[in-house]
Amino acid sequence: MVPELPALPALTRAEGELVDAYLEVVDQLGRINPSRASHTYGALRAAQALVGRAVALREALDLMHRRGESEVHAATLARALRVLDGERRAERVTVADTPAS
């Protein structure tokens, strides 16, 4: 039997775009992370993609602001990030444990 996944909380369109864009930025930063990357070319490609993802993140926040969504509902957005595996994805941004030399 397949375990039931938690439901994504109700988000405005702009909040959904914010969460998606944030996770895309996190994914690119994880690919760039020098403590985890294995090749410069892959990190370079991720750095190039990061620019576009950062623009999308800015635009999502700008849309929220223009619509009068002046507050970030952190608990709801955190729930959405957890449902979308944000904790695992964000782990790639941290410095990797490496054996002592």
Side-chain angles (χ1 to χ4, degrees), residues 16-28:
E17 290 175 9
L18 170 63
V19 168
D20 288 343
Y22 173 79
L23 288 173
E24 289 172 357
V25 166
V26 166
D27 289 341
Q28 297 308 322

Side-chain angles (χ1 to χ4, degrees), residues 11 15 31-32 35 37 43 49 59-62 64 80 87 99 101:
L11 303 173
E15 286 174 328
R31 289 181 184 100
I32 297 166
S35 72
E59 288 174 355
L61 286 163
D62 182 55
M64 288 176 69
E87 290 173 321
S101 327

Side-chain angles (χ1 to χ4, degrees), residues 57-72:
L57 179 59
R58 182 197 66 208
E59 288 174 355
L61 286 163
D62 182 55
L63 178 61
M64 288 176 69
H65 180 72
R66 283 186 286 123
R67 287 184 167 181
E69 296 179 46
S70 58
E71 295 182 27
V72 174

Side-chain angles (χ1 to χ4, degrees), residues 4-5 12 14 29-31 33 35-36 42 48 51 58 74 77-78 80 84-85 95 100-101:
E4 188 173 318
L5 296 175
T12 67
L29 286 172
R31 289 181 184 100
N33 185 343
S35 72
R36 296 182 185 274
Q48 291 168 334
V51 176
R58 182 197 66 208
L77 296 176
L84 297 170
D85 206 19
V95 176
S101 327

